Each structure stands twice: as structure tokens, then as C-alpha cells.
Amino acid sequence: LHTDGTYLTEITDWLLMCKLQETNVVGGETYILHLDDWEHLNELSKDSIGRQNFTWGSPKSKNVDNKVDHPVFFDDNEGRSQISYIDQFPEPKNMQQGNFLQRLSDSLEESKNQIIANISVGSMLIANNYFWLHGRKPFKENKNLNRELLRIRGSFFR
């Protein structure tokens, strides 16, 4: 489970995903989790390590060369915890940050409150990117699998 845009300098407070095409697909279901439904929100969002700046990079395939620094957790204007996180791109500065990221990843993946979002071809999912995490279950291997998604992210508010 992750949010989009963790390695970008742009604000990414919303996400739109639309499934354009899908053939020969078994598995790959989208699953989502709202922060308010996550069992470990209070414990991990209040941990001072999660409020430290982490360095976030990205692979060459993303065509983004810069690195950004920001915490995993931060608060909105009303004091509600928000999250910006993906397990693939953090560069922990020390063992404490590394251990925190492992605890975070494990607790998100093990959450009993994940929702399977069956997004059929032509359907879309629109979500607040700082309150909803999303992910994908593994596909059953098939060399003829074809799946195309349109993903748009951006900012509603400045």
C-alpha cells in the first residue's frame, strides 16, 4: 500500500485512476485503505521518527532525477494525520528510520481493513492521496497479460 508522488516536489493531494483496457488478467485486484480505518494510525502517526524528514528517490523509469525530503506523516489544517509513503523509494538516514519504515510497511500490509476495489474497464477511482493508500495484489503470471491504466495526480488546493 502506498500513496502517489512521494518522490515529487509537486503537491499530489488527489489521485484519479481509470482502467482503460485489460485482457488475460487473473489477479491484480486494486486494494485501498483509508487512514481512519487503519488499526495502527495513532501509534505510528504520532511516532516522532515518522515525523522526521526522509529522503525519497525514484527509479530511472520514472524519469525524475531529483530527490526530495519530507516526513511520512504530517497534519492537515484541522490537525488530522496525513501520509505520503511508498515502500520502494525511501532512503533511510539511519537504522531508526529503517526500522520505522519496516514496522509501517508490515502494519499497512497486514491491515484487516483493506478494501478490494474492483475497478472494471472504463471505471475510475478518485481519492484524496493523503488519506487513502492504494496497492495491487499480484497478477497470476501470463505472458499475454495486457492492462492499461490512466493515472492522473495533482492538487486541488494551493
Side-chain angles (χ1 to χ4, degrees):
L1 286 162
H2 64 275
T3 61
D4 278 15
T6 55
Y7 55 88
L8 299 173
T9 57
E10 296 87 11
I11 295 172
T12 54
D13 63 4
W14 62 272
L15 169 68
L16 180 149
M17 289 189 297
C18 179
K19 189 179 291 184
L20 302 175
Q21 183 178 349
E22 185 174 78
T23 55
N24 302 310
V25 172
V26 176
E29 298 86 3
T30 297
Y31 61 113
I32 58 177
L33 176 66
H34 193 279
L35 274 184
D36 289 345
D37 297 328
W38 177 40
E39 302 90 336
H40 299 281
L41 173 62
N42 287 332
E43 169 195 349
L44 290 171
S45 70
K46 304 301 182 213
D47 188 314
S48 62
I49 296 172
R51 303 263 173 178
Q52 295 174 1
N53 274 342
F54 286 72
T55 300
W56 306 87
S58 64
K60 296 263 185 230
S61 64
K62 299 292 184 184
N63 295 320
V64 176
D65 291 332
N66 63 298
K67 296 179 187 282
V68 297
D69 289 306
H70 64 75
V72 173
F73 290 102
F74 53 97
D75 293 333
D76 70 2
N77 292 337
E78 297 177 23
R80 297 173 296 191
S81 292
Q82 296 183 304
I83 189 169
S84 181
Y85 165 76
I86 188 167
D87 62 349
Q88 298 169 350
F89 306 140
E91 299 174 8
K93 296 178 174 103
N94 53 48
M95 187 62 77
Q96 289 81 15
Q97 284 191 350
N99 288 335
F100 175 84
L101 290 168
Q102 186 64 56
R103 285 187 10 242
L104 174 63
S105 179
D106 290 346
S107 70
L108 288 169
E109 297 303 320
E110 295 167 0
S111 176
K112 305 264 188 278
N113 296 321
Q114 297 173 12
I115 300 167
I116 299 294
N118 185 7
I119 303 173
S120 56
V121 172
S123 296
M124 68 177 60
L125 174 73
I126 301 173
N128 181 310
N129 190 50
Y130 296 139
F131 289 111
W132 285 94
L133 294 109
H134 65 279
R136 181 182 49 76
K137 300 289 184 186
F139 291 110
K140 183 175 180 190
E141 189 173 333
N142 182 336
K143 65 181 178 180
N144 296 315
L145 183 146
N146 182 32
R147 180 175 183 252
E148 294 180 30
L149 295 179
L150 170 67
R151 187 176 299 206
I152 301 172
R153 59 182 177 254
S155 175
F156 282 126
F157 309 105
R158 293 182 187 244

